[in-house]
Amino acid sequence: MKVYFRVDASVHIGSGHVMRCLSLADALQKLGSDVVFVMRVQPGDLCDYTKKRGFKVEQLAQPDELINPESTTDYHAWLQVSETEDAEDFLAVAEDADLVVIDHYGINVHWETLVKSTTLCNLIAIDDLVRAHNSDMIIDQTLARKVSEYHVTSPGSHVLSGTKFALLKEQFSLLHSVALAKEIDKQVHRLLLTMGGVDNPNATLQVLNALSQRETAIKTTVLLSYNAPHFDSVASFCESNSDWLRHIPFCEDMATLMLEHTIAIGAPGSTSWERACLGLPSILIPLAENQLQICQNLVKEDAAMSLSLGEVPAQLNPKLDKLLHNFEAMRHNNLSLCDGKGCSRVVEKMRMLGWF
C-alpha cells in the first residue's frame, strides 16, 4: 500500500503534528506499507529529521515570501499557499496514493475534495478542531471527544475519537505497564519541562525564573530544541543553574525520558497524552487557542492543573505545591486516560475496513 502523509512543521506550527504522524507511519511501515511524507519547505520544517527516521520526503517548494501568522488561529498562514495550490502540488507527487493521511490545520474540506476527486485513495484526516471533512476516517485523540461532534460529508466515514486513539510511538505502550507498577518516592520528585518545540513566547524561561524562587529546588529537565527562537537564553539559564537544571535540545526516546520523571510542566499539545500514558501529573500552560480544550478536559479529569502564561510568576509555585500534595491521585488519573495503543487500534480499524 502506498501511503502519503501531508503534514508540516515550522517555527509557527511546532513539531507535534509531524511527530504523531511519524508514530502512525512507523506502524504502517512495519506492515509493509510504502510511506512518503509530503512537506512544505520552511523554517523549522523537520524534513531532514523525517528522513533520518527512515522515510522518503517529497519537499514542496518554499514560497518566495513567507507568511507570518497574525494569531495562533491563523491557520491559512500555516499552509503558506492557497488550498487549491497546495492540493495541486500534492497531487503532482502523489498520484499513485492508496491512502492519504492529512494532519494540518490549514487544510480543509476543499483540499480533501480536490484530492479525492482526482485519485482513488482512501483519506484519513487527523484533527482536533471539530471541522467538516470529506474523508473516509477522522482521528481526533482529544480527551472526551465524542463521535457525534463531527459532521462528515463522506458516506460511510468513520470517526475514531478519544485518547484510546492517541497516536504515540510504540515505546509508550510498552512502558505503560512499567509506569503502572513503578513505585515512586514522593519525597524525591523529578520535573520535566516541555513547552513545545518552538515556544515563541519563551514560556520556558518564565517558568524557570519562577522555579528558581523555590526554597528547595526540584531537579528539573528542560527540553527545548535548537529551532526555538529563545534557545540561547534558556540554555544560558540552565548552565548557570546546573545544580538543579539539565537542558536537552532533543530526545529521540521521549517515553524513557518521561519515565525517569514524576511530574511535568508543559503546553497542552499532543505530548499531553504521552505524559498521561506514563503517569505524569502536569501543570499546563496553554500557548495557543487550539490547546484550551485539551487543557480544560485534563483539569476536569483531575489529571492536571492549569495556568495562563501571565499567572506564572505569582501562581506557578503554589500550583506546584498543590499538585505535589495531590500527586498520587493525579498520577492514577493520568495512567487511566491513555495506554499508548492508539496506533495499533487505528491499524486494526483499517484492517477491518479492508484497506490492506
Side-chain angles (χ1 to χ4, degrees):
M1 180 167 65
K2 194 65 174 285
V3 183
Y4 286 86
F5 282 81
R6 177 66 190 97
V7 61
D8 284 332
S10 75
V11 294
H12 303 295
I13 298 170
S15 59
H17 296 269
V18 170
M19 300 309 288
R20 65 184 178 186
C21 283
L22 284 168
S23 297
L24 181 57
D26 284 336
L28 292 173
Q29 190 177 64
K30 284 182 179 180
L31 293 172
S33 296
D34 183 4
V35 178
V36 180
F37 278 72
V38 182
M39 307 170 78
R40 180 77 58 187
V41 175
Q42 54 195 306
D45 55 36
L46 294 186
C47 291
D48 288 342
Y49 174 70
T50 303
K51 293 174 186 176
K52 289 178 182 177
R53 282 283 299 269
F55 296 101
K56 181 180 179 182
V57 176
E58 292 283 358
Q59 297 182 186
L60 304 183
Q62 177 175 293
D64 294 333
E65 292 187 17
L66 291 168
I67 303 172
N68 290 316
E70 296 180 358
S71 69
T72 60
T73 58
D74 185 8
Y75 302 133
H76 170 71
W78 284 22
L79 198 58
Q80 293 293 321
V81 298
S82 71
E83 278 194 82
T84 299
E85 183 179 346
D86 192 272
E88 290 172 350
D89 290 346
F90 175 80
L91 289 168
V93 298
E95 285 184 321
D96 59 343
D98 298 307
L99 173 65
V100 173
V101 183
I102 311 158
D103 190 347
H104 206 303
Y105 292 163
I107 288 176
N108 293 285
V109 67
H110 173 67
W111 191 103
E112 296 167 356
T113 300
L114 284 173
V115 170
K116 284 186 69 68
S117 66
T118 305
T119 72
L120 298 176
C121 69
N122 289 307
L123 193 149
I124 295 176
I126 302 173
D127 196 14
D128 23 57
L129 298 181
V130 194
R131 301 174 294 169
H133 288 282
N134 183 3
S135 62
D136 301 284
M137 183 183 291
I138 298 167
I139 303 170
D140 186 334
Q141 58 190 25
T142 303
L143 175 64
R145 179 73 74 218
K146 295 181 174 62
V147 172
S148 59
E149 293 180 63
Y150 272 94
H151 168 68
V152 294
T153 59
S154 298
S157 182
H158 301 268
V159 179
L160 310 183
S161 65
T163 53
K164 67 184 294 186
F165 296 107
L167 301 174
L168 309 186
K169 290 179 72 172
E170 184 181 23
Q171 186 72 353
F172 281 92
S173 65
L174 297 176
L175 291 183
H176 178 68
S177 59
V178 178
L180 285 168
K182 182 180 177 181
E183 293 187 9
I184 295 177
D185 182 351
K186 289 180 285 186
Q187 305 305 313
V188 186
H189 283 285
R190 293 190 66 89
L191 190 155
L192 181 62
L193 173 57
T194 56
M195 295 306 305
V198 178
D199 186 16
N200 274 317
N202 204 8
T204 300
L205 190 59
Q206 295 183 54
V207 169
L208 291 175
N209 279 318
L211 289 174
S212 70
Q213 303 303 310
R214 294 185 68 83
E215 186 174 331
T216 302
I218 298 177
K219 292 287 186 180
T220 300
T221 300
V222 180
L223 187 61
L224 185 71
S225 78
Y226 294 113
N227 289 331
H230 304 287
F231 176 87
D232 290 341
S233 64
V234 170
S236 177
F237 188 97
C238 291
E239 186 176 354
S240 299
N241 295 272
S242 58
D243 56 321
W244 62 281
L245 286 178
R246 173 178 63 146
H247 176 218
I248 300 176
F250 178 75
C251 179
E252 185 65 57
D253 186 358
M254 276 294 292
T256 297
L257 180 67
M258 285 188 173
L259 196 63
E260 295 171 354
H261 295 77
T262 57
I263 55 177
I265 297 175
S270 297
T271 197
S272 298
W273 319 127
E274 297 176 341
R275 292 187 289 250
C277 182
L278 297 181
L280 270 66
S282 304
I283 293 178
L284 301 176
I285 305 171
L287 300 181
E289 185 76 22
N290 59 69
Q291 297 175 344
L292 293 177
Q293 188 66 58
I294 295 173
C295 187
Q296 292 168 6
N297 291 353
L298 282 164
V299 170
K300 186 177 180 180
E301 293 291 332
D302 196 25
M305 297 178 180
S306 68
L307 289 171
S308 70
L309 189 54
E311 292 174 322
V312 166
Q315 295 298 319
L316 179 71
N317 285 311
K319 285 273 187 176
L320 184 53
D321 290 336
K322 185 177 179 181
L323 182 149
L324 293 172
H325 180 74
N326 297 322
F327 170 76
E328 200 60 52
M330 294 182 70
R331 178 173 181 269
H332 173 78
N333 292 341
N334 274 278
L335 288 166
S336 68
L337 291 179
C338 181
D339 62 7
K341 297 179 181 178
C343 284
S344 61
R345 292 189 178 99
V346 170
V347 169
E348 182 57 30
K349 183 65 175 180
M350 292 168 64
R351 283 187 190 276
M352 292 173 59
L353 294 172
W355 289 6
F356 61 87

